[in-house]
Amino acid sequence: MEHEDPRNGESPHRSSKKSKFSSNYIPESEIRDEFSHHQPRVARINNGSFGSCPGSVLAAQRRWQLQFLRQPDAFYFNTLRNGITASRMIIKDLINADHVDEVSLVDNATTAAAIVLQQIGHSFAEGKFKNNDTVLMLHCAFQAVKKSIQAYVTRAGGSVVEVRLPFPVNSEEEIISEFKKSITEGKSNGRKIRLAIIDHITSMPSVVIPVKELVRVCREEGIDQVFVDAAHAIGSLKVDVKEIGADFYVSNLHKWFFCPPSVAFLHCKKANASSDVHHPVVSHEYGNGLPIESSWIGTRDYSSQLVIPAVLEFVNRFEGGIEGIMERNHEQVVKMGKMLAESWGTNLGSPPEMCTAMIMVGLPSRLCLNSEEDASRLRSYLRDCHEVEVPIFYQVPKDGEDGVRDNDGCITGYVRISHQVYNTLDDYEKLRDAINQIVKDGKTCKMLCIE
Amino acid sequence: MASSLHSNNTQICPNPTALNGGSAADGKSQISKKPRLYADPPLLFTPSDIISEFSHHDPAVARINNGSFGCCPSSVLSAQNQLQLQWLRQPDNFYFNQLQPKIIQSRTIIKDIINADHVDEVSIVDNATTAAAIVLQQIAWGFAEGKFCRGDAAVMLHYAYGAVKKSVEAYVTRAGGYVIEVPLPFPVSSVDEIVKEFRQALRRGKQNGRKVRLAVIDHVTSMPTVVIPVKELVTICREEGVDQVFVDAAHGIGCVDVDMKQIGADFYTSNLHKWFFCPPSVAFLYCKKSTNNSDLHHPVVSHEYGNGLAIESAWIGTRDYSSYLVVPKVLEFINRFEGGIEGIKKRNHEYVVEMGQMLVKAWGTRLGCPPEMCSSMVMVGLPACLGISSDHDALELRTCLRDKFVVEVPIYYRPPKDGEEGGVVTGYARISYQVYNKFEDYYKFRDAINQLVDNAFTCASLPIS
């Protein structure tokens, strides 16, 4: 669990080399230091929701903020644009994009969704698309994205088809098969599918989706555009936008890539570069291309977009850089997931190869988690009484299906555990013991006392 | 020249009641009616207090451009940092238990300051640019959904902010609206000139059976800066049957009187980081309660969609909301000045006029408007011999002033009108005055320009880039 390589000394020199023979990787004590601003004693196993940012990157961010405050005009005219371009260049290389013009920095995936969907909305409103032409999305798409579709697509006359993915899921084939079925539905009655929105890693419940394959299917089926919502992807799994081949690809950098809140990149395939994609907050840069529009949306604190070089320095202090971090996070979260499932007598929500740094673990049926309120109540209880932070998912039982069972009944609740470099074995043992305690006390979710 | 800051705005006040700005002249101050947020009456600022609150500013720079990016005192920055750390410490807990109540607290304070009826009318957004997108997007839907007829008009000032003009293009023109710009004279001598042009533009708007769906009116224009008689213009809009009036008061709060009920607009936005000491960036958008405008949405849609603009704006995805949350701390800061925000506003105005008049006297030029038509900023004519003959020249001169003279001030190019003779003033500097400024800043600027004139500098001699 810990990075117990005896070759890791307390070396004062920080090397960015990934050589196996270097003893200069960041020692455990420094990792603790970097995250010493996290609330101690909290088992923080929800990196997925709000991410994390190390102290050295926060310090870099403060320097940028102070530079702006010191002389904002000079900063605006001489520094800001170059800083953002430098960050975009790093992202371009990380994600294997062809050209930096394809990379825009925005606040978060929620903003990127509004950007992509607003242009769809325009096309409906301006008659480019026919009334009822379809937008395809996953049933478990992030709530903000669903609402964005309502605001920009449904309102403008488009229709929506939801792909119902099975959960728990056992193989990629299950996902691909459901997706194909939904495409057929989306094209029924002479409709054209104008956009498919595909999560790379779904949020709740969390599963890795075979996006490359699904994008290929979309192309075969003549779907106009594909938007991959990869909020959790970068820093979690390898991102190669050319390989994936979507028209739009967004990922948050503050979730798994150690940036401060908040910053995300939106990749737009070059073929789309001259197309009609705009930032909804219009500044004097309107019409100069999305990357430039996004780099100035009025006076704001852009410091979170400027620290990406500092983040790269941070991840390169780890053995294997970001790849090494990803590998170890995945190993550990699977190990911890299995430990919990075994202790509780439950299951994992997906096979290990369909998860990254997060995994869904079934909760004992004796908790009687039978509603969203129950899930919320359990989460608050764990936070307030056990100092465990972990999101809980309520699995609505399918009609006519029994679902997965443990020895006592149907499993209807799952925790989504995350692993990031600051986590320790303690965190998961704390969760394990808390749940076991509740079950031992004979309590159900409804019986839990919260403030 | 005595102390680096003026003695007028720095006094230790032994009488606690005076802290609430309760003098007769401040009858309109809403802050005087609020209970104080702290137990003991705090001391008013001394000159060294102010210097220390703005010690993060580059001390070498004559920073006479508060209008562009505003300023934030270090006690507020500290408070902001604390909030940022609270989030980072345990973000889930902050999200579920603290964020929304703190935003409501900020909104409530703003509601009182601006004399709005109900906190539901007050949304907090990033900046006026965002507010403009919100208001204009609903106009676009009006066209798209057939509520408005193609060719219905939107009216805005010729000097509307660049971002707002582009937003009007993106949301109104694109959706089929017809845009009318109100030409305003500059230099301007009286409010009547503005009112006259506005009436004429509205008439043009209503020609050919068009309806005017929206009027966008600056409260204080940016470049060139002039205070617009918004209350009167809003009244005219109502008389002429304009559907909605949106007042863009980016420079509003802390710069001019901001009273929603008095002004009577449907929408009113003001940045809080310009003249209200908030960190970058935060603004409010006021939306009068009315069936006419219930359909506003934040363009960045989150799960809060449909819960009202104020709630939508309070969560637009994971972000740093700390600038939205420091408003209580800012109020504490402001109330340590004599007269609170009213006192600051009054003194800023007095000093900027005094400095403006000093400069025009030194250079033999003129102010861009009479003193009563300016706020905490004023346009000061630059010597004609500098030969400013384009926007490019203005920007280059500004860069020269920054790099060679360490003076930060925006320059406006005012093209000569037909019939105007040579020697006319074509360049104006927009000087600002805020609590951290000192007379020296303006002397430095005066001397820089005098030196350029002495050296026979002209913009024509600048390298072409």
Side-chain angles (χ1 to χ4, degrees), chain A residues 68 75-77 79-88 100-101 103-107 111 115 263-266 277-306, chain B residues 69 127 129:
Chain A
F68 176 78
F75 191 89
Y76 172 78
F77 284 106
T79 307
L80 178 60
R81 183 58 61 80
N82 293 339
I84 291 186
T85 303
S87 289
R88 287 166 56 213
V100 74
D101 286 352
V103 179
S104 303
L105 294 182
V106 295
D107 276 349
T111 306
I115 289 172
V263 52
F265 73 83
L266 172 57
V277 182
H278 294 284
H279 198 292
V281 176
V282 177
S283 78
H284 67 276
E285 297 286 9
Y286 182 71
N288 290 337
L290 184 65
I292 300 299
E293 287 185 12
S294 305
S295 72
W296 187 258
I297 50 173
T299 298
R300 293 192 13 158
D301 179 357
Y302 292 90
S303 62
S304 55
Q305 296 184 6
L306 302 171
Chain B
F69 300 108
N127 44 41
T129 299

Side-chain angles (χ1 to χ4, degrees), chain A residues 62-81:
Chain A
R62 261 192 295 283
R63 286 194 294 274
W64 283 111
Q65 287 166 340
L66 283 172
Q67 211 184 327
F68 176 78
L69 294 166
R70 190 174 161 80
Q71 218 296 38
D73 303 75
F75 191 89
Y76 172 78
F77 284 106
N78 302 332
T79 307
L80 178 60
R81 183 58 61 80

Side-chain angles (χ1 to χ4, degrees), chain B residues 101-349:
Chain B
K102 283 181 168 14
I103 289 189
I104 289 175
Q105 192 186 10
S106 290
R107 286 167 56 209
T108 305
I109 289 174
I110 293 167
K111 159 196 161 280
D112 289 336
I113 293 175
I114 68 175
N115 193 25
D117 271 331
H118 201 285
V119 74
D120 286 353
E121 297 176 320
V122 178
S123 302
I124 296 187
V125 296
D126 277 349
N127 44 41
T129 299
T130 306
I134 290 172
V135 174
L136 292 166
Q137 196 180 50
Q138 53 112 39
I139 297 291
W141 280 117
F143 282 101
E145 293 172 334
K147 224 171 99 191
F148 305 157
C149 299
R150 231 188 142 69
D152 277 351
V155 171
M156 67 180 179
L157 306 185
H158 173 65
Y159 294 129
Y161 193 60
V164 174
K165 287 189 158 186
K166 286 290 187 180
S167 213
V168 167
E169 186 190 315
Y171 288 113
V172 178
T173 313
R174 180 176 182 161
Y178 180 79
V179 180
I180 292 169
E181 289 192 13
V182 183
L184 294 185
F186 183 79
V188 63
S189 342
S190 79
V191 159
D192 295 334
E193 291 176 35
I194 296 177
V195 172
K196 178 160 159 267
E197 289 289 352
F198 190 77
R199 272 196 200 279
Q200 277 179 7
L202 273 191
R203 286 202 188 114
R204 275 204 312 281
K206 288 163 78 173
Q207 274 169 8
N208 306 329
R210 276 194 292 251
K211 253 202 91 60
V212 179
R213 297 299 182 178
L214 180 74
V216 182
I217 309 173
D218 296 59
H219 197 155
V220 179
T221 52
S222 176
M223 281 298 237
T225 190
V226 165
V227 176
I228 302 289
V230 283
K231 184 168 144 84
E232 197 170 343
L233 296 190
V234 170
T235 306
I236 294 171
C237 284
R238 302 301 183 204
E239 286 166 8
E240 299 284 339
V242 172
D243 268 14
Q244 293 180 341
V245 184
F246 169 38
V247 174
D248 174 6
H251 290 277
I253 195 163
C255 207
V256 282
D257 288 341
V258 174
D259 184 324
M260 296 301 95
K261 296 222 274 280
Q262 250 223 346
I263 292 167
D266 297 284
F267 310 110
Y268 188 106
T269 185
S270 182
N271 284 327
L272 296 166
H273 53 265
K274 273 196 200 289
W275 296 94
F276 203 70
F277 304 103
C278 285
S281 66
V282 52
F284 73 84
L285 171 56
Y286 162 85
C287 304
K288 190 154 76 161
K289 261 191 198 251
S290 131
T291 47
N292 191 23
N293 61 15
S294 50
D295 197 29
L296 277 96
H297 295 283
H298 199 292
V300 176
V301 177
S302 78
H303 66 275
E304 297 285 10
Y305 181 72
N307 291 336
L309 180 65
I311 300 298
E312 288 185 12
S313 306
W315 185 258
I316 49 173
T318 298
R319 288 189 20 154
D320 179 357
Y321 292 91
S322 62
S323 56
Y324 292 14
L325 310 179
V326 291
V327 177
K329 194 68 186 182
V330 169
L331 207 60
E332 260 183 56
F333 172 80
I334 285 172
N335 284 340
R336 288 173 64 192
F337 286 85
E338 186 180 349
I341 194 65
E342 298 299 318
I344 292 173
K345 215 172 14 179
K346 190 156 155 283
R347 288 183 297 268
N348 282 351
H349 171 72

Side-chain angles (χ1 to χ4, degrees), chain A residues 322-356:
Chain A
I322 191 64
E323 281 93 25
I325 292 173
M326 294 193 306
E327 244 177 67
R328 288 184 294 272
N329 279 346
H330 172 70
E331 261 171 47
Q332 291 304 326
V333 89
V334 169
K335 190 166 155 193
M336 292 299 101
K338 287 179 171 164
M339 182 271 285
L340 292 169
E342 203 183 323
S343 174
W344 298 336
T346 59
N347 64 328
L348 295 180
S350 72
E353 61 274 12
M354 289 181 74
C355 82
T356 53

Side-chain angles (χ1 to χ4, degrees), chain A residues 37-182:
Chain A
H37 53 279
H38 285 190
Q39 189 168 347
R41 291 185 322 274
V42 168
R44 186 170 166 142
I45 44 189
N46 184 23
N47 197 74
S49 281
F50 301 111
S52 55
C53 184
S56 52
V57 174
L58 293 173
Q61 185 190 23
R62 261 192 295 283
R63 286 194 294 274
W64 283 111
Q65 287 166 340
L66 283 172
Q67 211 184 327
F68 176 78
L69 294 166
R70 190 174 161 80
Q71 218 296 38
D73 303 75
F75 191 89
Y76 172 78
F77 284 106
N78 302 332
T79 307
L80 178 60
R81 183 58 61 80
N82 293 339
I84 291 186
T85 303
S87 289
R88 287 166 56 213
M89 291 292 300
I90 291 176
I91 300 297
K92 161 195 161 291
D93 288 337
L94 263 172
I95 67 175
N96 193 27
D98 271 331
H99 201 284
V100 74
D101 286 352
E102 301 175 342
V103 179
S104 303
L105 294 182
V106 295
D107 276 349
N108 45 39
T110 299
T111 306
I115 289 172
V116 174
L117 291 166
Q118 192 182 49
Q119 50 116 35
I120 297 289
H122 276 136
S123 295
F124 277 103
E126 294 167 357
K128 217 172 112 194
F129 299 162
K130 283 211 317 270
N131 223 33
N132 274 328
D133 275 351
T134 326
V135 167
L136 204 70
M137 68 171 179
L138 306 186
H139 172 69
C140 56
F142 197 58
Q143 187 61 1
V145 175
K146 288 188 161 187
K147 288 290 185 178
S148 213
I149 292 172
Q150 193 188 327
Y152 288 112
V153 176
T154 316
R155 180 172 185 176
S159 71
V160 182
V161 169
E162 294 190 6
V163 183
R164 291 207 154 258
L165 297 187
F167 183 79
V169 65
N170 300 310
S171 74
E172 293 188 345
E173 282 65 43
E174 292 178 8
I175 294 176
I176 296 169
S177 152
E178 284 298 325
F179 193 76
K180 285 182 171 163
K181 276 195 227 156
S182 296

Side-chain angles (χ1 to χ4, degrees), chain B residues 373-436:
Chain B
M373 288 182 73
C374 83
S375 55
S376 310
M377 302 181 288
V378 70
M379 302 303 286
V380 182
L382 291 163
C385 61
L386 292 177
I388 297 161
S389 56
S390 66
D391 288 334
H392 172 83
D393 283 348
L395 192 57
E396 289 295 306
L397 176 58
R398 177 179 184 175
T399 305
C400 169
L401 285 165
R402 178 185 310 121
D403 294 345
K404 292 196 166 49
F405 295 95
V406 205
V407 173
E408 187 62 56
V409 66
I411 314 280
Y412 171 70
Y413 165 61
R414 187 267 187 194
K417 284 209 185 65
D418 291 335
E420 276 179 346
E421 285 153 18
V424 73
V425 170
T426 55
Y428 286 79
R430 184 185 78 186
I431 61 169
S432 297
Y433 189 96
Q434 187 45 296
V435 299
Y436 55 80

Side-chain angles (χ1 to χ4, degrees), chain B residues 39-77:
Chain B
D40 303 312
L43 295 175
L44 288 181
F45 276 115
T46 62
S48 59
D49 282 339
I50 295 188
I51 291 172
S52 125
E53 283 282 11
F54 293 97
S55 56
H56 52 280
H57 286 191
D58 187 339
V61 175
R63 186 171 166 141
I64 47 186
N65 184 25
N66 196 73
S68 282
F69 300 108
C71 62
C72 184
S74 43
S75 53
V76 174
L77 292 172

